[in-house]
Amino acid sequence: MDDFEITWYMQELSMHSLGVEHEFMNMLQVASNPETRQQRLVWFHLTSCLAHAAMMSKYLSPVRPQGVSRERKRTLRRLLEVADDSEILSRAARDNIEHFDERVDNWVGEDCGGILEVVLPNRRGYEILDGDNKRIKRVLLAEELIFITENRDGSKLEIPLEPVVEEAKRIGSRAGDWIQDNSPYHFIYPAQQC
């Protein structure tokens, strides 16, 4: 894999890093406003944020790495200093976003006693609402910035958002630095408007 090819991957990682950060900030803005906190726009931004993180995960941790994808994984992780325990690599989080249809399939025809999709101020509110028969579609604990949803088997999945966002930003920054310092391409950017 040469520097021309590596540039293509670095550009994608940089773009998705910006997507993570942008959508996270939008989600925070909507979730912190009492008038919009319970609107589905919160989930639009949060799902978009996590989808961008999932795309980064795909580049850095392909499902069955072989050939080019194995070389991509090895090269990008080395150049970007991505550890095996990186928050961006979570398969559970990635699967949840990519296969959410399967979660909905689990609920069809089931007497589940309710499905939670709500922004709550803290964990205490969640503990009060979460009964044995409740299914968790989407819950955001605003104080802790933890997203709670379900795995394929119905078990609860908690995703602390800030570590994912910080790791995405770190990777994006390193990708941008690599492009600046190593890319053999000469980029022409449009002039900025004042």
Side-chain angles (χ1 to χ4, degrees):
M1 187 171 303
D2 65 24
D3 285 352
F4 287 99
E5 296 162 335
I6 292 171
T7 299
W8 306 337
Y9 295 119
M10 293 296 189
Q11 285 183 315
E12 290 301 305
L13 288 165
S14 178
M15 178 189 69
H16 286 295
S17 169
L18 290 172
V20 168
E21 186 175 3
H22 177 75
E23 292 299 335
F24 182 69
M25 297 306 293
N26 286 339
M27 185 275 300
L28 288 177
Q29 184 178 21
V30 174
S32 66
N33 181 339
E35 293 183 21
T36 58
R37 180 174 296 132
Q38 299 305 334
Q39 292 181 1
R40 301 204 78 209
L41 195 55
V42 170
W43 309 120
F44 170 81
H45 292 303
L46 181 55
T47 301
S48 295
C49 171
L50 293 174
H52 283 291
M55 286 304 298
M56 293 177 76
S57 174
K58 285 181 177 185
Y59 285 109
L60 298 164
S61 185
V63 175
R64 287 175 285 284
Q66 53 188 336
V68 172
S69 65
R70 180 179 25 218
E71 177 64 16
R72 165 183 22 110
K73 172 186 171 180
R74 187 188 65 74
T75 300
L76 293 177
R77 283 196 188 188
R78 178 179 50 81
L79 293 172
L80 298 170
E81 298 178 7
V82 176
D84 289 341
D85 63 350
S86 169
E87 290 83 358
I88 210 77
L89 301 179
S90 170
R91 267 314 281 202
R94 185 167 130 188
D95 284 348
N96 184 271
I97 292 299
E98 293 178 347
H99 303 289
F100 197 79
D101 58 310
E102 296 170 4
R103 307 320 180 262
V104 177
D105 289 346
N106 287 342
W107 307 329
V108 171
E110 180 182 292
D111 181 21
C112 60
I115 298 174
L116 293 179
E117 184 177 60
V118 63
V119 176
L120 296 167
N122 53 43
R123 188 168 295 276
R124 181 70 182 129
Y126 171 68
E127 291 167 353
I128 290 169
L129 287 177
D130 183 33
D132 290 338
N133 292 329
K134 296 267 190 329
R135 301 308 298 257
I136 308 300
K137 187 174 186 183
R138 299 177 182 98
V139 171
L140 175 65
L141 304 182
E143 188 174 278
E144 300 172 63
L145 288 175
I146 291 179
F147 175 55
I148 304 174
T149 186
E150 290 186 7
N151 289 304
R152 285 181 178 164
D153 64 1
S155 63
K156 306 302 185 267
L157 171 64
E158 292 195 16
I159 304 171
L161 298 172
E162 287 179 307
V164 172
V165 173
E166 289 305 312
E167 178 68 348
K169 287 169 55 176
R170 186 194 69 78
I171 291 169
S173 176
R174 289 194 61 88
D177 290 346
W178 187 93
I179 291 168
Q180 183 70 33
D181 297 341
N182 300 290
S183 177
Y185 288 104
H186 298 286
F187 296 99
I188 300 172
Y189 298 102
Q192 291 186 337
Q193 301 278 331
C194 293

